[in-house]
């Protein structure tokens, strides 16, 4: 029977949460399609996930000099991330505290102070209000400058990655990343890394979780979705993506580690640097790494990819945000990172391989976007909800984690399992219930 | 305008219309044959700068940054049975206009600027994507034909409102 009388948008928040608890069963591998498409779930997610957890804002190397700033989105709201005159990075809600005009409208720049285009209120890049036109005359000198500083946004950094949150009592940032730092170190903190160029941005008519979920656990799709890549000889064969490990830690984070690799995927002359930045166990893993694909809950994914381009092996490192714009639409924002001390030739070839494979024109990327769009379409509307159509996430449920792995977390000894997705949706559900 | 310039404008308008037809009709091999071996095929990321600061595009990040070899890989990929992004292919229509020949040496080289509007329709979608921008092209004369030796496509959006660039600009 189709339940035309039950609709999430008629329910209270508490009723929606109970409905989720009864229908989303991560440990059983049962994920209902409606969580990808229901506007009520999307709205609740904004409050319970995006206003609660740490979200990625950018990389310290994007604002290397005092006065450098970028404007970024945090949970759907514009914020200014600025390196102040004292070298400290701070973030502010991008709104004049006088009458609410958006203060800064550039993506990036260098400014010691921001002047509002509406009435000329001027703020230092550390947030203090320092100038109001004709203030002595029109406010009688009584305007409280100190109370009118920009609204500060809480930020934290790890290995160059800047995260922020609007939550006044967020989880401790170090605990939030937890054991996953061990893997993040290899992906983005193996030595001094820098972002090259602005991030690339494009729109997909896709629910945001599909991207995050794809990167957290789905190595299986590589055989088919990315089958063209093996045909071109860029990777050894269509089943190369199975070899390695799948790992997840607490709080929904997880990654897939492609191993072994007969070749060293990174600039060899930087081995002393890697050894200085990593533990011996981390270096051992890195030295054998073919690729690394993962997600930091909820929507930051990262990728280290080693492929053959024009007869030469090269790796590239990227991070990407699946930024929700609507229940069925997201902006994908991709940053390219490279070792600061790599040779110019390496940096050039690494960027070239990124553009060719995982940029908006990337020959890996583009096949994924087609899948994400069509999953979103099929999940949308009343029928998938009313009929309780579900996805099957049971792959690898029969398997036992390996012991004595180099790194922490729950580890499986090949990548074809959906354990990471089960862990991701468990944490998602826990936050939705909280 | 001299007769030589008038003729040059006509030659390159026809060249660009022919190119548009090859791409819109999914004739990638024919399109690829229009390229010069020295090709540089670039689409920088457009950025939103403060005030009138220029250039308002990145000089160090690109959505396309191809030479003849990587472009060949893209064309070959589209011919495999797994190129899902364009299976079935988008229906595209490339509108080329505002053609200006900036530099011209007959039977040698030319610099040609034009505007491009791509209409893209995928699958059964009733919504379409529009990609608008300016091409700054360079041509070299090779074995009796004008070949594209450089394409610089300056797109008009900082966030591309299309699911991917599985199509050429």
């Amino acid at each position: 029977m189709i339940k035309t009388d039950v609709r999430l948008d008629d329910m209270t928040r508490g009723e929606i949460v109970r409905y989720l608890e009864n229908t989303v069963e991560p440990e059983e591998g049962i994920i209902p399609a409606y969580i990808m498409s229901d506007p009520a779930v999307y709205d609740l997610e904004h409050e319970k996930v995006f206003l609660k957890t740490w979200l990625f804002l950018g990389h310290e190397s994007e604002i290397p000099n005092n006065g450098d700033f970028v404007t970024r989105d945090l949970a759907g709201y514009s914020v200014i991330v600025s390196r102040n005159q004292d070298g400290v990075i701070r973030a502010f809600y991008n709104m004049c505290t006088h009458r609410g005009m958006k203060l800064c409208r550039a993506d990036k720049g260098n400014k010691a102070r921001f002047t509002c285009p509406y009435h000329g209120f001027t703020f230092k890049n550390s947030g203090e209000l320092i100038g109001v036109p004709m203030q002595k005359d029109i406010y009688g000198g009584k305007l409280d400058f100190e109370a009118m500083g920009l609204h500060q946004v809480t930020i934290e950094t790890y290995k160059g990655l800047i995260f922020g949150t609007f939550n006044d009592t967020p989880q401790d940032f170090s605990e939030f990343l937890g054991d996953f730092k061990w893997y993040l170190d290899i992906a983005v903190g193996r030595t001094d890394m820098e972002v090259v160029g602005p991030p690339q941005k494009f729109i997909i008519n896709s629910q945001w979780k599909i991207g995050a979920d794809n990167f957290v656990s789905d190595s299986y799709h590589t055989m088919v979705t990315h089958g063209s890549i093996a045909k071109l000889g860029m990777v050894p064969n269509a089943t190369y993506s199975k070899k390695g490990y799948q790992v997840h830690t607490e709080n929904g984070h997880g990654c897939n580690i492609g191993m072994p690799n007969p070749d060293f995927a990174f600039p060899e002359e930087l081995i002393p640097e890697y050894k200085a930045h990593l533990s011996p166990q981390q270096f051992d893993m890195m030295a054998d790494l073919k690729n690394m694909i993962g997600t930091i809950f909820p929507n930051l994914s990262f990728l280290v990819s080693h492929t053959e381009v024009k007869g030469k092996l090269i790796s590239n490192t990227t991070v990407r945000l699946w930024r929700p714009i609507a229940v069925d639409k997201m902006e994908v924002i991709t940053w390219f990172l490279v070792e600061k001390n790599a040779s110019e030739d390496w940096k050039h070839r690494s960027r070239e391989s990124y553009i060719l494979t995982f940029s908006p024109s990337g020959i890996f990327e583009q096949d994924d976007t087609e899948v994400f769009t069509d999953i979103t379409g099929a999940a949308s509307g009343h029928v998938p909800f009313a009929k309780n159509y579900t996805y099957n996430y049971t792959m690898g449920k029969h398997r036992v984690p390996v012991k004595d792995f180099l790194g922490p977390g729950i580890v499986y000894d090949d990548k074809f399992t959906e354990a990471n997705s089960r862990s991701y949706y468990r944490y998602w559900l826990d936050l939705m219930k909280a | 305008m001299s007769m030589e310039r008038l003729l040059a404008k006509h030659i390159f308008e026809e060249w660009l219309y022919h190119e548009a037809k090859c791409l819109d009709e999914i004739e990638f091999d024919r399109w690829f044959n229009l390229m010069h071996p020295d090709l540089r095929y670039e689409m920088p990321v457009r950025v939103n700068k403060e005030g009138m600061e220029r250039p308002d595009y990145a000089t160090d990040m690109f959505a396309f940054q191809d030479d003849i070899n990587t472009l060949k890989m893209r064309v070959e990929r589209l011919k495999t049975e797994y190129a899902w992004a364009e299976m079935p292919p988008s229906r595209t229509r490339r509108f080329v206009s505002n053609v200006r020949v900036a530099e011209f040496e007959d039977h040698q080289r030319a610099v040609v600027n034009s505007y491009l509007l791509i209409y893209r329709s995928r699958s059964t979608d009733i919504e379409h994507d529009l990609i608008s921008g300016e091409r700054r092209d360079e041509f070299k004369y090779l074995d009796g034909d004008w070949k594209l030796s450089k394409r610089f496509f300056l797109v008009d959006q900082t966030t591309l409102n299309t699911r991917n660039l599985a199509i050429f600009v």
Side-chain angles (χ1 to χ4, degrees):
Chain A
M1 271 293 284
I2 189 159
K3 298 169 290 181
T4 49
D5 53 333
V6 182
R7 284 177 182 275
L8 290 181
D9 54 6
D10 293 334
M11 295 184 191
T12 65
R13 281 208 192 99
E15 288 167 342
I16 294 170
V17 169
R18 274 195 294 283
Y19 196 87
L20 286 169
E21 279 185 276
N22 290 333
T23 52
V24 183
E25 300 175 70
E27 286 74 18
E28 300 308 312
I30 298 169
I31 302 297
Y34 77 85
I35 71 162
M36 302 299 181
S37 64
D38 196 288
V41 174
Y42 180 79
D43 289 346
L44 198 64
E45 217 168 49
H46 177 66
E47 274 176 54
K48 301 276 196 171
V49 177
F50 285 89
L51 296 183
K52 289 288 164 64
T53 63
W54 294 95
L55 302 171
F56 182 68
L57 282 169
H59 194 270
E60 288 179 332
S61 67
E62 294 181 271
I63 45 172
N65 304 309
N66 292 354
D68 286 350
F69 72 87
V70 287
T71 52
R72 289 286 149 80
D73 177 274
L74 182 65
Y77 308 91
S78 179
V79 299
I80 303 169
V81 184
S82 164
R83 191 183 288 270
N84 307 147
Q85 300 320 105
D86 52 8
V88 176
I89 297 173
R90 292 187 179 84
F92 302 98
Y93 197 78
N94 188 4
M95 180 184 88
C96 178
T97 53
H98 173 220
R99 294 267 291 270
M101 172 62 187
K102 188 176 185 179
L103 192 59
C104 177
R105 292 168 299 158
D107 294 343
K108 186 178 168 64
N110 184 289
K111 276 186 166 189
R113 52 185 64 88
F114 295 93
T115 297
C116 178
Y118 201 8
H119 304 95
F121 278 46
T122 297
F123 300 85
K124 265 170 74 172
N125 63 359
S126 49
E128 299 107 79
L129 176 64
I130 52 167
V132 175
M134 303 167 68
Q135 60 96 10
K136 284 201 176 110
D137 178 16
I138 57 182
Y139 290 101
K142 288 187 192 308
L143 189 70
D144 186 353
F145 275 54
E146 264 182 43
M148 288 188 65
L150 296 175
H151 300 294
Q152 197 156 345
V153 173
T154 306
I155 59 166
E156 290 278 1
T157 62
Y158 185 75
K159 304 277 161 144
L161 306 179
I162 308 168
F163 288 78
T165 181
F166 288 115
N167 189 341
D168 292 328
T169 54
Q171 182 182 13
D172 176 78
F173 180 64
S174 186
E175 281 174 24
F176 168 72
L177 292 177
D179 284 344
F180 202 65
K181 285 182 204 160
W182 198 93
Y183 300 97
L184 205 51
D185 289 348
I186 297 169
V188 301
R190 55 188 181 263
T191 181
D192 292 330
M193 304 286 285
E194 63 184 8
V195 166
V196 178
Q200 303 222 38
K201 302 184 285 188
F202 66 106
I203 302 292
I204 313 180
N205 290 324
S206 164
Q207 149 67 218
W208 68 273
K209 287 195 288 301
I210 300 169
D213 174 358
N214 176 277
F215 271 59
V216 85
S217 86
D218 197 337
S219 298
Y220 186 43
H221 82 290
T222 314
M223 283 199 309
V224 177
T225 312
H226 304 305
S228 65
I229 309 303
K231 291 252 175 196
L232 291 179
M234 290 182 75
V235 293
N237 61 64
T239 53
Y240 77 98
S241 49
K242 186 165 184 282
K243 291 198 184 87
Y245 299 88
Q246 185 173 102
V247 184
H248 63 266
T249 63
E250 59 279 88
N251 303 337
H253 315 313
C255 65
N256 303 268
I257 300 161
M259 294 169 77
N261 190 349
D263 303 289
F264 188 70
F266 306 94
E268 288 187 23
E269 70 275 16
L270 299 183
I271 286 176
E273 285 192 19
Y274 299 135
K275 286 187 166 169
H277 281 76
L278 300 172
S279 71
Q281 292 81 4
Q282 285 173 314
F283 180 78
D284 284 351
M285 174 176 290
M286 177 189 160
D288 209 15
L289 196 71
K290 175 85 184 140
N291 53 52
M292 197 174 190
I293 301 139
T295 296
I296 296 167
F297 187 92
N299 67 335
L300 177 68
S301 292
F302 60 88
L303 171 68
V304 178
S305 170
H306 191 219
T307 54
E308 190 175 314
V309 178
K310 292 188 279 193
K312 285 171 96 174
L313 287 165
I314 185 75
S315 66
N316 67 75
T317 300
T318 52
V319 299
R320 65 186 49 220
L321 208 52
W322 314 101
R323 181 176 95 76
I325 295 176
V327 65
D328 58 358
K329 194 187 279 280
M330 67 175 164
E331 182 180 32
V332 183
I333 310 176
T334 311
W335 288 260
F336 167 72
L337 285 107
V338 71
E339 281 84 346
K340 200 175 274 183
N341 295 325
S343 66
E344 285 310 308
D345 175 64
W346 178 277
K347 288 182 182 182
H348 182 83
R349 292 197 301 118
S350 183
R351 183 180 64 189
E352 177 185 62
S353 75
Y354 152 61
I355 293 168
L356 183 64
T357 54
F358 279 100
S359 79
S361 76
I363 57 182
F364 280 75
E365 184 80 41
Q366 52 188 247
D367 290 328
D368 282 330
T369 60
E370 189 73 3
V371 173
F372 297 175
T373 306
D374 287 351
I375 292 173
T376 303
S380 297
H382 190 61
V383 163
F385 170 77
K387 294 265 193 193
N388 198 28
Y389 292 158
T390 59
Y391 305 133
N392 184 310
Y393 278 87
T394 59
M395 194 196 310
K397 240 165 70 70
H398 62 290
R399 288 167 52 193
V400 194
V402 295
K403 295 194 173 71
D404 306 323
F405 189 61
L406 286 166
I410 312 286
V411 184
Y412 293 90
D413 71 353
D414 79 43
K415 296 192 290 176
F416 285 9
T417 169
E418 284 157 346
N420 279 7
S421 289
R422 293 192 287 272
S423 155
Y424 179 92
Y425 287 113
R426 163 46 58 194
Y427 188 62
W428 177 85
L429 187 61
D430 287 348
L431 286 188
M432 293 293 271
K433 282 157 56 180
Chain B
M1 198 187 285
S2 70
M3 277 307 288
E4 188 190 42
R5 277 299 172 107
L6 201 63
L7 193 59
K9 182 171 184 293
H10 179 73
I11 287 168
F12 288 105
E13 276 175 347
E14 288 298 315
W15 194 101
L16 292 165
Y17 295 162
H18 172 65
E19 182 201 16
K21 191 171 166 64
C22 291
L23 287 172
D24 290 343
E25 293 183 354
I26 327 288
E27 296 278 0
F28 294 124
D29 287 334
R30 270 173 68 200
W31 177 69
F32 188 75
N33 284 334
L34 299 171
M35 304 298 140
H36 191 278
D38 297 343
L39 177 73
R40 281 185 298 151
Y41 183 86
E42 291 182 351
M43 173 175 164
V45 174
R46 198 81 187 260
V47 291
N48 189 35
K49 288 231 171 149
E50 186 79 26
M52 295 304 290
E53 203 187 325
R54 292 292 179 272
D56 60 351
Y57 57 84
T59 53
D60 52 0
M61 190 44 72
F62 306 85
F64 281 107
Q65 188 193 28
D66 285 67
D67 59 18
I68 197 75
N69 298 306
T70 55
L71 196 73
K72 180 79 178 164
M73 287 174 73
R74 292 180 187 277
V75 168
E76 292 301 320
R77 193 195 87 89
L78 287 169
K79 294 194 292 186
T80 71
E81 64 201 287
Y82 291 109
W84 305 112
E86 282 295 302
M87 212 155 56
S90 300
R91 289 167 296 276
T92 61
R93 195 68 62 193
R94 286 168 176 74
F95 298 89
V96 179
S97 71
N98 302 55
V99 177
R100 287 148 295 137
V101 178
E103 294 173 36
F104 179 69
E105 292 171 46
D106 201 8
H107 295 88
Q108 294 289 323
R109 59 180 289 280
V111 177
V112 180
N113 301 322
S114 61
Y115 290 178
L116 176 70
L117 182 65
I118 306 175
Y119 171 96
R120 183 185 196 186
S121 171
R122 287 283 308 137
S123 184
T124 54
D125 287 357
I126 54 168
E127 309 287 342
H128 58 265
D129 298 346
L130 289 178
I131 301 166
S132 158
E134 180 178 358
R135 283 168 167 174
R136 299 172 188 170
D137 293 340
E138 294 179 20
F139 294 86
K140 286 181 182 169
Y141 201 72
L142 183 70
D143 301 332
D145 288 310
W146 288 102
K147 301 286 186 185
L148 186 70
S149 58
K150 184 179 182 194
R151 167 151 295 162
F152 177 92
F153 181 67
L154 188 64
V155 70
D156 291 330
Q157 285 180 316
T158 59
T159 298
L160 304 173
N161 193 11
T162 193
R163 66 177 77 187
N164 56 42
L165 289 170
I167 59 172
F168 295 105
V169 294

